[in-house]
């Protein structure tokens, strides 16, 4: 990929107490790229996403998103931490979809999607509602505007969550194993929405075990283990002819 870098991670470290979760992660995500991240549980994949979205603060290294140093500003050669309002501004252009859908149970699908634009972007209700309807149409839920989360399948809830993230008009979408909580027959409907986003040019970082999606849609596949990037490259190469023994061992179990 030769597009403008959207995410640049340079030697990222993150610990939780004595547990060193990220051990010098470096990678770049370019504009319009779909970067897929695979690895065993506990390898640091989700923590890395949470650092990009500033749900966690890094301990060392540099993390740049769209030419801004995440969580900090440089002024007169000195580094200053951002306050919560400034962090919220940086975070606003980044959409994140979690394993669990995290929808507001007391709001309809439409209500969930318009909440962010109304509160954070200060859109008027008429415009926000029209945009939310278009987004729900886009993810195949034109008949579910007034349905509450409890009335929706897991796949439908996850598609509402994607529409909700898109309603904030992000330039970057982060997906943290978005199909792992779904019944197998519902996985395809969520992956289809993600494929459409990729085809439309959305920059995406996707933590996933869906090798078919990574091979078909991903531009780059990163394999992480024990907090480091073990191997990266075109998905067909990493999946078809992994170079590192740890990657081969992991894929032999995933692919059977």
């Amino acid at each position: 990929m030769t597009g403008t870098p959207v995410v640049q991670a340079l030697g990222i470290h993150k610990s939780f107490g004595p547990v060193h979760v990220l051990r010098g992660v470096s990678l770049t995500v370019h504009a319009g790229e779909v970067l897929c991240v695979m690895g065993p549980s506990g390898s640091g994949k989700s923590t890395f996403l949470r650092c990009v979205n500033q749900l966690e603060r890094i301990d060392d290294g540099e993390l740049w998103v769209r030419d801004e140093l995440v969580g900090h500003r440089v002024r007169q050669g000195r580094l200053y931490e951002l306050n919560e309002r400034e962090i919220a501004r940086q975070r606003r252009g980044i959409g994140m979809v979690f394993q669990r859908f995290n929808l507001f149970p007391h709001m309809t699908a439409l209500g969930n999607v318009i909440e962010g634009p109304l509160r954070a972007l200060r859109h008027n209700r008429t415009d926000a509602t029209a945009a939310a309807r278009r987004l729900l149409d886009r993810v195949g839920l034109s008949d579910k505007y007034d349905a509450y989360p409890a009335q929706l399948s897991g796949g439908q809830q996850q598609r509402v969550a994607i529409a909700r993230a898109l309603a904030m008009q992000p330039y970057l979408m982060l997906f943290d194993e978005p199909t792992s909580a779904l019944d197998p027959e519902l996985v395809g409907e969520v992956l289809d929405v993600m494929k459409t986003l990729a085809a439309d040019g959305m920059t995406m970082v996707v933590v996933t075990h869906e090798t078919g999606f990574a091979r078909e849609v991903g531009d780059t596949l990163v394999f992480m283990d024990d907090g480091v990037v073990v191997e990266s490259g075109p998905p067909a190469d990493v999946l078809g002819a992994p170079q590192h023994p740890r990657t081969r061992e992991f894929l032999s179990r995933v692919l059977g």
Side-chain angles (χ1 to χ4, degrees):
M1 296 291 293
T2 57
T4 304
V6 175
V7 179
Q8 286 186 295
L10 304 172
I12 300 302
H13 288 260
K14 176 65 182 177
S15 295
F16 296 99
V19 182
H20 199 170
V21 179
L22 299 178
R23 302 168 177 263
V25 171
S26 296
L27 55 83
T28 301
V29 185
H30 296 93
E33 180 179 8
V34 178
L35 183 140
C36 295
V37 185
M38 289 187 173
S41 178
S43 59
K45 310 181 300 295
S46 296
T47 298
F48 177 74
L49 286 192
R50 292 175 65 84
C51 289
V52 173
N53 206 27
Q54 299 194 64
L55 298 174
E56 303 289 351
R57 294 197 177 192
I58 66 174
D59 298 326
D60 197 12
E62 292 184 6
L63 185 55
W64 295 82
V65 175
R66 261 195 171 182
D67 297 324
E68 282 195 283
L69 189 60
V70 166
H72 296 83
R73 81 165 74 85
V74 180
R75 188 168 59 200
Q76 297 179 335
R78 298 186 65 181
L79 202 61
Y80 295 89
E81 284 195 2
L82 299 183
N83 61 38
E84 288 301 320
R85 185 172 183 176
E86 292 169 318
I87 288 173
R89 178 192 58 78
Q90 283 193 338
R91 185 187 287 143
R92 192 169 294 160
I94 303 173
M96 189 159 181
V97 178
F98 300 87
Q99 297 178 37
R100 297 290 174 178
F101 324 119
N102 294 342
L103 298 179
F104 298 115
H106 62 289
M107 293 183 180
T108 63
L110 194 65
N112 269 277
V113 177
I114 67 173
E115 183 72 3
L118 288 178
R119 291 185 178 272
L121 302 182
R122 304 297 184 185
H123 289 180
N124 67 65
R125 183 169 293 274
T126 299
D127 291 343
T129 299
R133 289 176 183 271
R134 289 193 296 270
L135 286 169
L136 288 169
D137 293 348
R138 184 178 178 185
V139 299
L141 294 173
S142 57
D143 60 337
K144 299 296 183 183
Y145 297 157
D146 298 322
Y148 288 89
Q151 298 170 314
L152 300 173
S153 71
Q156 290 169 336
Q157 290 186 61
Q158 193 63 293
R159 284 184 281 156
V160 173
I162 293 172
R164 180 178 61 180
L166 292 173
M168 296 297 290
Q169 302 171 352
Y171 55 81
L172 171 66
M173 285 286 285
L174 309 176
F175 292 88
D176 188 5
E177 299 196 39
T179 60
S180 65
L182 301 179
D183 292 334
E185 64 269 23
L186 302 178
V187 168
E189 63 190 49
V190 173
L191 293 180
D192 285 345
V193 171
M194 294 170 63
K195 290 174 186 177
T196 300
L197 292 180
D200 289 344
M202 176 63 74
T203 307
M204 299 161 58
V205 182
V206 184
V207 172
T208 183
H209 290 305
E210 300 288 345
T211 56
F213 175 86
R215 190 187 298 271
E216 179 183 351
V217 182
D219 297 295
T220 303
L221 176 59
V222 167
F223 177 75
M224 289 181 63
D225 186 42
D226 197 25
V228 301
V229 174
V230 172
E231 186 167 350
S232 66
D237 294 349
V238 176
L239 293 171
Q243 299 300 301
H244 195 279
R246 186 66 185 95
T247 315
R248 290 197 293 270
E249 178 189 6
F250 175 80
L251 291 175
S252 69
R253 294 176 179 173
V254 171
L255 300 174

